[in-house]
Amino acid sequence: MKLSCRLLYLAVAISAICYIPFIYLSPTLYSALRLALYAIMLLLIAINISLVKITNNRMLSSLSILVATILILFLSFYAIGLNFTGSDISQTIVPFCCVIIGYCGNFSKESINQVTIFYVLLSVIIASLSASTYSSIRSVGDYSFLLEGKNQIGAIVAIASSLALYILPQQNSKYVKIALASSFVIGVITSYIIGCRSAFLAFLLSAIILQVKRNYNNILKYVVLSGILLFFIYILWGDQITSLLNDFFVGDKDVNDMDDVSSGRMDRNRLAIDYILNNFFIGELLYPSNIPLIHNYLLLKWVRYGICALPFLIYYLTFISHAFIQLKNSRFLSIEYIGFFIIIIPYIVSMLEPGAPFGPGSIYFFTYILYGFSLRQINK
């Protein structure tokens, strides 16, 4: 096994271990592991970077220009004395660096498959242990909010479950298939127990997209059979399923009050839109808006930076638009396209959370490495 692959295994392990409860709740341990992760990232870049490969790829060249533009903007903000949020810098640089690692790393399809299996198993184990730690406190939909970092752990387990579903049909070993299938089931249950609605919704939508794409040539047959299956499931267990979903997505909130159901997100988004309309060009660059943290990536950036958020918008759209084009044009969803598929998760989450799709970097580290890997595969 070459050095780059060993370092990738180590980095993937650290990115998952960061969210073991006693580590995540310890600022010292958590910060130390994140620094170790970023150090390994820099080492992987130093070992594998190729300016020729980057400049020869139109997508990477465009991303490089966007990252440079954003960094220049932040330097200008600092020099002039304008307001900015430091974490926005790392949430721009880290995903780009991960894409560079995945693209320039020359990881084989087999090595990526093995690392993905390792990531799935480790992430599901850690997430399930985190959930079980709190499972005896209260009922589902209530105790889960006592789990600090549930949104982060929820995102990890959603990614791991989606990856398990994606690579499962491509495995030759029945033992690996059993392990992945088990991880998928445990991951779905764990995601429900943790109570991270945005990540769980992202997982459900990505699973639907995956199954529709896989059965696209027989879509009518697939829809009919799925409809019949769902009908019988509803007849047999409809009340139980409805109750479980209601407990999960609504709980004790007022179903007629979308702001209550969304835990205040709708009201914050309305405040953000009003603020943007009144401060379209300058945002919060001169003075704060005092709006509570906005749980939508694009609205948050425009509130913070006004018209200067355009590079963020283009950066955001570049990743997902390229992924959708590649998925649309692909005939089979093989390991080569894994990065274009899994990026769907953080992008759906970004509509409901402030950090996604680019942060925290320790959560989406592997996602963007897979994106870079897929980018290289289609560029061969």
Side-chain angles (χ1 to χ4, degrees), residues 331-351:
R331 293 187 61 191
F332 306 103
L333 289 181
S334 56
I335 192 71
E336 289 92 338
Y337 292 89
I338 189 170
F340 299 136
F341 165 72
I342 201 58
I343 202 174
I344 293 172
I345 295 282
Y347 268 81
I348 294 174
V349 173
S350 74
M351 300 176 189

Side-chain angles (χ1 to χ4, degrees), residues 154-188:
I156 290 172
V157 77
I159 290 170
S161 300
S162 296
L163 286 173
L165 191 62
Y166 186 93
I167 65 174
L168 179 60
Q170 304 166 36
Q171 306 307 310
N172 295 319
S173 169
K174 67 177 182 179
Y175 299 108
V176 173
K177 286 185 175 182
I178 292 171
L180 289 173
S182 301
S183 296
F184 171 75
V185 173
I186 295 170
V188 173

